[in-house]
Amino acid sequence: PPIVQPSLPQEAPTPLVATHAQRETEAPPTVHAGIPTPDCSHLAEEPVWTKNGSDPLIGNPTAPPPSNAEWDSILVDSPPLSPVELSLIGEEFSTQESCQLASTPHPATLLTLSPMVIAPSSVSPGQRREGGTPQSHGPPRFREVTEDNITTNSRGLRRTAAPNGGWPKVHLLSTPWENVADSQAEAWSLVTSPKLWARVFRGKYEPNSLEIVDKTREIIKKLIPIDGEISWGVSFPPQKCRIDTDRFPTPYHMLISGIPADQVDYISSLEVISTEEITILLKPFENQRPEFITTICGLTFHNSPESAPVVLDLVTNRFRSSKVIVLHVTENSSLAQDKAVAEIMDNLSVKFIEVKRSAANGGNFRGWNVYLHKSSLCDADHIQLIQLMRTCDFPTATFGYGVPLKGKDTLSCVGCKSIDHDSPNCPFPGIPGWLGYKPQVQAAQVTTGTYPDVMENRGGTPAQRRGGGRGRGYGGRGRSGHRRGGRGF
């Protein structure tokens, strides 16, 4: 009979992750099946924000990331921290000193990684793995590395990295439910799974929302490991009433549902996902208190360190002298009368803004945004207090007569949908690494010099460029925009 050679035992193939010295002593993480290996996979593991984390590399881990508000007929607070050199938005000033702990950037350790999923581990918060790789916390997600203000993960998703200090706060003009068809709103109310809102930067109502929904789904699938196509959904609602007078009509919020709660929290904490394909702003589903009160127009103060405390004193004294405001606070607060009023006044802040407008739309003006960051009132009484504050005027003897912008005169940004600035002052396009929409004529908004000098640099005056003008007179084009319902005041 033929001699059978004994078969030698074959070594099991070594997992790709085991080739890294940093991971030789730990159990191999879970690999998400069916994920293609990207061409560029030189990525590093970044620390993940958690509620209970204490890793010093991620700045202030005990403070949850700021979230947008949803009662948004009047919305939120702090100054945009965009490093735009030509920004016309000033710093917020309040009577309370706030210490902001800036996040220390973590130097990326370049590793050749497979597109695996980072799974939660039992390592205590703040503890590092062997080899100097920081410990990850929270729900499973893909590895990421940030370079030149762009964050790239192991699925190949490139998005704008969050700026130092976090994303600018947004004060929505309307709630996500506004102008949603009743039948759609009823169907949404029956969804019991965790959910969140998402809207597109410069978004508007889309009768055919297939492209937006598909792009949003692709981004989510590249952010988190998620199986199946039916278990979770992205829904863009139909309109309740048709709006033809607005270039960016409501509704423009999508509802994302069917994703595990910890993944919903993680996606919400990102706040903004700006890619070359689409830019999405995320918002928690739960209601939150508005903090933005109004924009005061008519005061002649300039943006200076001396002006801010004077304007804040003017606003505080005006609210304190209003019997209606004081009575509302003292009757509805759980605090003693003197403490209730003091709490409101101590949590006010102001922020300068300069708005550039054509003469047909009211001309340029300097304004001051007013915010209320905290109150012990219940939700309904807090909103009513803001509505009462929006009725106040702010007269001065030497620096003009301040009035609140209300109704159609309220500032609004077609990009982020905030009401504490207009579109030219939107801080998002100036963020380093911004991959979303950028205005093409942004430089013209900060042009300096006299009118003849500026027009000469642009190739002559409008009349010269038109060949001498058409002589339309007083009722010509210059006033037609105002007659059609422009945002002037």
Side-chain angles (χ1 to χ4, degrees), residues 87-260:
S87 173
L88 301 178
I89 302 180
E91 295 296 325
E92 185 175 349
F93 182 85
S94 66
T95 55
Q96 294 183 340
E97 297 182 359
S98 60
C99 299
Q100 295 184 349
L101 182 59
S103 298
T104 303
H106 173 56
T109 304
L110 293 182
L111 301 175
T112 304
L113 304 177
S114 60
M116 65 186 63
V117 177
I118 300 176
S121 174
S122 59
V123 181
S124 60
Q127 182 177 350
R128 292 177 173 274
R129 295 184 180 184
E130 293 187 17
T133 304
Q135 169 62 30
S136 298
H137 304 279
R141 65 183 185 90
F142 302 110
R143 291 200 186 98
E144 296 178 340
V145 64
T146 299
E147 185 177 3
D148 295 332
N149 303 305
I150 300 295
T151 297
T152 308
N153 71 0
S154 57
R155 292 299 305 272
L157 178 65
R158 297 178 70 253
R159 58 185 175 87
T160 304
N164 292 334
W167 296 101
K169 292 285 186 73
V170 176
H171 315 258
L172 290 178
L173 178 64
S174 58
T175 71
W177 298 95
E178 180 173 337
N179 204 28
V180 174
D182 292 338
S183 56
Q184 180 67 82
E186 182 179 358
W188 279 356
S189 65
L190 299 177
V191 176
T192 58
S193 63
K195 44 191 175 289
L196 72 156
W197 299 109
R199 67 183 181 277
V200 177
F201 189 81
R202 289 180 61 87
K204 60 180 180 180
Y205 171 69
E206 297 287 351
N208 184 0
S209 59
L210 181 61
E211 182 179 3
I212 293 178
V213 169
D214 286 347
K215 289 181 178 180
T216 303
R217 289 180 65 93
E218 287 301 316
I219 286 180
I220 293 176
K221 288 191 291 185
K222 290 182 178 180
L223 276 176
I224 59 175
I226 186 169
D227 296 325
E229 294 287 341
I230 306 300
S231 59
W232 64 284
V234 178
S235 174
F236 196 103
Q239 274 185 326
K240 180 178 181 179
C241 300
R242 182 175 176 178
I243 302 177
D244 296 327
T245 59
D246 195 340
R247 290 177 55 207
F248 298 86
T250 56
Y252 37 69
H253 278 87
M254 298 173 282
L255 185 70
I256 303 175
S257 60
I259 299 176

Side-chain angles (χ1 to χ4, degrees), residues 356-397:
K356 302 287 187 179
R357 285 180 172 173
S358 64
N361 285 329
N364 303 339
F365 75 88
R366 295 190 292 270
W368 292 87
N369 290 328
V370 185
Y371 307 88
L372 173 60
H373 301 287
K374 178 184 176 183
S375 79
S376 59
L377 302 174
C378 69
D379 297 337
D381 292 333
H382 178 89
I383 295 176
Q384 187 175 356
L385 173 62
I386 290 180
Q387 293 171 343
L388 293 175
M389 290 177 169
R390 289 170 64 88
T391 64
C392 294
D393 291 343
F394 305 89
T396 70

Side-chain angles (χ1 to χ4, degrees), residues 47-55 58-67 125-126 136-139 261-269 284 286 288:
V48 182
W49 174 88
T50 57
K51 294 182 179 179
N52 298 322
S54 58
D55 193 334
I58 58 175
N60 185 1
T62 59
S67 57
S136 298
H137 304 279
D262 55 352
Q263 298 286 22
V264 168
D265 293 340
Y266 166 64
I267 296 176
S268 298
S269 69
E286 294 76 15
Q288 294 169 318

